[in-house]
Amino acid sequence: MKKRPIIIDTDPGIDDALAIAIALFSEELDVKLITTVAGNVSLENVTLNTLRLLNFFGKDVPVAKGAEKPLIVEFVDASNVHGKTGMEGYDFPEPKEELLLSEHAVNAMRRVIMESEEPITLVPIATLTNIALLFAMYPEVKSNIKEIVMMGGSAARGNKGVMSEFNIATDPEAAQMVFQSGVPIVMAGLDVGLKALVMPEDSEEIKQMGKVGDMAYHLFKKYRGGSFSTGLKMYDSCAIAYLLCPELYNVEETYVGVELRGTMTTGCTVVDLRGYLKREPNAKVCMDIDGKKFREWFKESIAKCI
Ligand SMILES: [Ca+2]
């Protein structure tokens, strides 16, 4: 089978770690490059975490370091959810430093996209600063991008602010640039992330699934994205699940804008399902997910990580 070429833009992050594992071990995806961006924790930590994960998985994928802070707004991390280092709870091996490119993430993305015979799918599971910079600096890349499948945003309420989701609210201007880029977008946000749960009985099964399962179990114990007993939210895996198993989702094609000047709602994704704004659709929004099937898919996918 021909593998689908993707670039993952990430900020590991406990749920990032699992999403990356599933992508790397999938027979259908070819991870060409992993780029990092400050988000859950600092750029330095998310990059080290990425290099540690690759050493742990035994996968040699080039890594490029991206933006250290958002375009305009001040940087605020999520170490309250992921712990100070971003991946607390498991004793990872040393970072595999030789995988780190000297190129900046934006330049590395441009090169990989332009060199690819087949259009690349971008999979941002973090704030969109790197992707916005890519389109601003090298708009020519758009012609060789198949689509963007992102974790971020919400058609309902938020998890960073009342109406704003973390990845979008961390850099709202970048998000708006990406939504206005003209590149096809799939948005898998809180509408599905809040229902993509790993329940305690799943965690016990996952624990038995080799070393990746054991790692996942230990990270889950520390993860405050939901509680261990009521279900852990696998936000970032929702983007990977869309690539591998789109039938899990109900999707609406619509216009999405990002609120940039709200007095209380900055960073809100305005998902115009009823067409009030009279704009052409610019995104497919994942409105609902089959939570039960997602759990099965997630366990099957982790079981393949060997
Ligand atoms: Ca993330």
Side-chain angles (χ1 to χ4, degrees), residues 179-193:
F179 276 105
Q180 289 182 341
S181 67
V183 176
I185 292 175
V186 176
M187 171 179 134
L190 296 184
D191 312 286
V192 291

Side-chain angles (χ1 to χ4, degrees), residues 12-277:
I14 291 169
D15 60 322
D16 298 75
L18 282 309
I20 292 169
I22 293 170
L24 288 174
F25 288 92
S26 160
E27 294 142 14
E28 293 168 52
L29 301 176
D30 178 9
V31 184
K32 294 276 185 199
L33 172 72
I34 299 179
T35 53
T36 59
V37 62
N40 283 323
V41 289
S42 70
L43 180 66
E44 210 51 52
N45 274 332
V46 297
T47 307
L48 287 173
N49 289 344
T50 304
L51 296 168
R52 281 196 183 96
L53 285 170
L54 289 167
N55 193 4
F56 179 72
F57 297 143
K59 298 279 186 185
D60 286 349
V61 175
V63 174
K65 216 195 267 192
E68 213 163 325
K69 61 182 212 57
L71 298 179
I72 296 176
V73 299
E74 203 186 320
F75 176 55
V76 183
D77 72 15
S79 52
N80 58 326
V81 178
H82 294 265
K84 208 161 142 262
T85 62
M87 290 194 320
E88 265 161 42
Y90 191 80
D91 196 10
F92 281 98
E94 288 301 299
K96 196 165 182 185
E97 299 277 0
E98 60 267 37
L99 296 176
L100 185 63
L101 302 171
S102 55
E103 255 174 328
H104 189 275
V106 174
N107 293 318
M109 279 194 275
R110 178 188 178 276
R111 179 177 51 75
V112 170
I113 294 166
M114 298 314 278
E115 282 174 5
S116 179
E117 276 176 27
E118 211 185 307
I120 295 267
T121 298
L122 297 183
V123 188
I125 52 173
T127 197
L128 292 161
T129 318
N130 287 339
I131 314 296
L133 289 170
L134 174 70
F135 292 158
M137 289 171 69
Y138 305 117
E140 68 274 20
V141 297
K142 292 180 189 175
S143 63
N144 206 30
I145 294 174
K146 182 178 159 70
E147 61 182 345
I148 298 171
V149 178
M150 67 161 77
M151 190 279 137
S154 171
R157 296 170 73 92
N159 67 348
K160 173 81 190 285
V162 178
M163 302 302 289
S164 61
E165 180 277 332
F166 178 80
N167 285 343
I168 304 296
T170 298
D171 194 343
E173 282 77 13
Q176 175 71 334
M177 286 165 70
V178 172
F179 276 105
Q180 289 182 341
S181 67
V183 176
I185 292 175
V186 176
M187 171 179 134
L190 296 184
D191 312 286
V192 291
L194 295 173
K195 296 179 184 168
L197 299 175
V198 169
M199 303 308 283
E201 59 269 35
D202 304 319
S203 296
E204 297 303 326
E205 278 180 56
I206 287 168
K207 189 183 176 185
Q208 311 303 327
M209 292 175 180
K211 70 172 190 171
V212 173
D214 182 64
M215 177 270 283
Y217 181 83
H218 285 90
L219 292 182
F220 288 167
K221 285 272 187 193
K222 290 274 176 185
Y223 182 42
R224 279 153 276 179
S227 108
F228 192 80
S229 56
T230 56
L232 299 157
K233 300 171 190 105
M234 294 295 109
Y235 298 113
D236 290 340
S237 290
C238 287
I240 307 297
Y242 183 88
L243 298 174
L244 297 173
C245 201
E247 59 273 22
L248 291 174
Y249 296 94
N250 284 343
V251 173
E252 294 261 11
E253 194 157 12
T254 186
Y255 175 78
V256 179
V258 179
E259 180 59 84
L260 299 180
R261 287 180 292 277
T263 56
M264 292 182 282
T265 56
T266 300
C268 168
T269 39
V270 179
V271 179
D272 189 14
L273 293 168
R274 291 191 177 177
Y276 294 116
L277 300 173

